[in-house]
Amino acid sequence: MNKSYPRTAARWLSDSQVMFSWQNFAMTRPIFTEEHEMFREAYRSFLERSLVPRREEWDAAGIVSRDVWEEAGAAGFLTFDTPEEYGGPGVEDFRYNLVVVEELARAGVSTHGAGFTLHNDVCLPYILKAGSEEQKQRWLPGMATGELITAIAMTEPGTGSDLAGMTTTAIKDGDVYILNGSKTFITNGINSDIIIVAAKTDPTQKHAGMSLLVVERGMEGFERGRNLDKIGMHAQDTAELFFNDVRVPASNLLGAEGTGFLQLVGNLPQERLGIACAAIAAAKATFDLTLEYTKERTAFGKPIGSFQNSRFKLAEMATEIEIGQTFIDRCVLESNAGTLTAETASMAKWWCTELQKRVVDACLQLHGGYGYMLEYPVAHAYLDSRITTIFGGTTEIMKEVIGRSLGV
Ligand SMILES: Cc1cc2nc3c(=O)[nH]c(=O)nc-3n(C[C@H](O)[C@H](O)[C@H](O)COP(=O)(O)OP(=O)(O)OC[C@H]3O[C@@H](n4cnc5c(N)ncnc54)[C@H](O)[C@@H]3O)c2cc1C
């Protein structure tokens, strides 16, 4: 890096800098207890120790190495909700999931930890809620230690938003299902050991014909395609999966046959809330480093942050992030109470991810030409943010969910 330019621009901020800038105006957040703050400290140390030093290595490799999963598991940072009897921490409280995404964003490793959040926030609930006793005993302990990495495969090359239009089939034949089809854009697609696959067990039906089957690493006829080349989120393995006459034991069916769509509908609000939590955290982290940059970088003899346009932009972002954070904190409490509706989760998802995109774009603009350089964190934040209004349900689909509930 050219040393004549602001030092904060080319790296994520230290704790003291973040505290200084954000505390100037941030409201208190009464949702956290001392336990959450202790957890936050421990998680922060884990990230500094085990993820931050390997950021560039994993960006270049397009994947994080499996050993960090086992480190996370050994420290109790995987599958919070899993009861102790299955080897998990046994803590049902989404505030811990919120702390995780906040700390990932602040350390600049959201992409590198995205696999963890998919595993914890998205995949785990399917096993916990629909898994049989035998399935829980088979999979939950390995998921807690990080030896079993999970993925969920809904999207197909021909359909994403319209899930009922999927063409992957799983036809019962005695005590197995014969699985055929392909999936794409699957997070943890390369690293995963067990994959929850949505397929039609009755192709004559739309929603009612869908079931969830767990495909395991090494099953004959199951192949992974390439690790897809994305514009951002470089360290996150995202892959195509192919199923060619895979004989999946009927004992790997999750829940009853035909309940796949209902299970998805039941679990998607938590997935969407998790993405919204991460979006606000990313907006905040990018805002923080940009605020510091605008204090250090000068033009026309004064800090660029002191121009009225910069001040107004920063003021607008600070306001919207605060509003978003307040809503997110409330949604997390609703989720804990079991009262978060699909519509409210959709509101959080579309509004917070669209906000993230606006904030990150404005932050890049405030960095000038340096914002366009990949050695600057704001450039990564920009590239990584572009997907958040698409995955987990697009902004348009979120508005459809909300709009339908309004009776229009
Ligand atoms: C990095 C990454 C990770 C992902 N991880 C996973 C994963 O782990 N598992 C998984 O199953 N999937 C995953 N996905 C897939 C993702 O969820 C889908 O891309 C997304 O749901 C959109 O589906 P699609 O790409 O087929 O777009 P389409 O459904 O083809 O949509 C294209 C456009 O049409 C719009 N549109 C579609 N229907 C409507 C409508 N009714 N009204 C208005 N507009 C509409 C959409 O909003 C969008 O703008 C991932 C994708 C990416 C890029």
Side-chain angles (χ1 to χ4, degrees):
M1 182 187 61
N2 185 333
K3 291 200 171 46
S4 63
Y5 294 103
R7 63 197 164 78
T8 49
R11 57 176 176 72
W12 296 89
L13 296 179
S14 68
D15 292 349
S16 57
Q17 285 168 311
V18 172
M19 296 301 280
F20 175 75
S21 60
W22 191 252
Q23 276 185 355
N24 283 345
F25 54 81
M27 292 197 295
T28 54
R29 298 175 62 197
I31 67 164
F32 295 119
T33 66
E34 206 177 315
E35 278 75 35
H36 297 107
E37 295 310 334
M38 282 163 56
F39 172 81
R40 187 186 290 283
E41 286 299 319
Y43 202 73
R44 189 174 297 173
S45 309
F46 161 66
L47 297 182
E48 288 300 328
R49 192 175 60 245
S50 303
L51 275 82
V52 171
R54 301 178 74 181
R55 193 160 43 198
E56 281 80 24
E57 173 199 332
W58 292 334
D59 279 340
I63 193 166
V64 304
S65 50
R66 290 184 66 97
D67 53 287
V68 74
W69 280 84
E70 293 186 21
E71 273 185 69
F77 295 146
L78 295 177
T79 66
F80 304 120
D81 296 6
T82 296
E84 287 176 16
E85 63 195 278
Y86 302 108
V91 182
E92 267 188 71
D93 179 353
F94 206 73
R95 287 175 292 182
Y96 288 99
N97 307 57
L98 175 61
V99 170
V100 163
V101 292
E102 289 179 353
E103 290 306 315
L104 287 169
R106 158 183 193 132
V109 289
S110 294
T111 294
H112 312 76
F116 296 154
T117 55
L118 181 95
H119 186 73
N120 292 342
D121 303 4
V122 182
C123 297
L124 176 64
Y126 287 92
I127 313 284
L128 282 179
K129 289 189 206 165
S132 65
E133 183 54 34
E134 183 276 323
Q135 289 172 335
K136 287 180 183 172
Q137 286 185 16
R138 195 151 39 114
W139 295 318
L140 289 176
M143 288 170 65
T145 59
E147 286 159 298
L148 283 186
I149 298 173
T150 55
I152 180 156
M154 298 172 267
T155 308
E156 300 186 352
T159 190
S161 304
D162 178 16
L163 279 177
M166 67 176 52
T167 56
T168 297
T169 54
I171 306 302
K172 187 107 187 259
D173 180 15
D175 57 0
V176 297
Y177 286 91
I178 312 289
L179 182 67
N180 277 294
S182 61
K183 299 285 175 180
T184 194
F185 305 148
I186 306 308
T187 304
N188 290 342
I190 302 292
N191 263 340
S192 49
D193 303 290
I194 56 174
I195 300 122
I196 301 165
V197 178
K200 289 275 180 75
T201 40
D202 181 354
T204 64
Q205 300 285 317
K206 288 197 76 167
H207 304 91
M210 203 186 293
S211 302
L212 301 181
L213 287 157
V214 177
V215 171
E216 299 179 68
R217 179 185 285 282
M219 283 184 171
E220 205 174 322
F222 165 42
E223 284 176 24
R224 297 168 209 255
R226 3 180 228 126
N227 190 359
L228 298 166
D229 205 6
K230 306 185 290 298
I231 63 169
M233 297 198 74
H234 292 134
Q236 175 57 65
D237 54 313
T238 309
E240 301 166 304
L241 308 177
F242 302 102
F243 309 103
N244 190 9
D245 284 335
V246 184
R247 295 174 71 79
V248 183
S251 57
N252 281 24
L253 179 73
L254 262 190
E257 200 177 291
T259 62
F261 190 76
L262 281 178
Q263 291 186 57
L264 294 174
V265 168
N267 288 316
L268 280 171
Q270 178 161 307
E271 171 172 359
R272 290 170 179 162
L273 174 61
I275 295 172
C277 292
I280 290 292
K284 204 168 186 172
T286 312
F287 173 88
D288 278 331
L289 67 88
T290 303
L291 180 59
E292 289 306 311
Y293 182 81
T294 62
K295 289 176 186 170
E296 293 184 13
R297 170 79 170 169
T298 58
F300 300 96
K302 53 185 191 172
I304 57 162
S306 65
F307 297 119
Q308 190 187 50
N309 176 66
S310 310
R311 275 211 312 275
F312 280 13
K313 282 275 177 288
L314 290 163
E316 286 164 16
M317 287 191 271
T319 306
E320 286 192 279
I321 292 169
E322 276 295 86
I323 292 168
Q325 187 68 74
T326 308
F327 184 51
I328 282 299
D329 288 354
R330 175 70 193 273
C331 286
V332 167
L333 295 182
E334 294 263 343
S335 176
N336 277 358
T339 50
L340 183 75
T341 64
E343 291 78 13
T344 309
S346 299
M347 288 176 186
K349 204 271 172 181
W350 87 257
W351 197 84
C352 295
T353 55
E354 294 288 345
L355 173 66
Q356 176 191 7
K357 254 179 25 186
R358 280 202 305 282
V359 165
V360 169
D361 186 58
C363 286
L364 190 149
Q365 185 73 15
L366 285 167
H367 277 74
Y370 293 96
Y372 201 62
M373 299 298 126
L374 280 175
E375 67 198 275
Y376 286 75
V378 72
H380 290 269
Y382 180 82
L383 293 170
D384 294 346
S385 67
R386 190 58 191 84
I387 185 57
T388 62
T389 57
I390 297 173
F391 65 15
T394 64
T395 290
E396 295 74 26
I397 295 298
M398 297 304 93
K399 291 179 183 174
E400 278 295 320
V401 171
I402 301 160
R404 273 199 300 269
S405 77
L406 300 174
V408 289

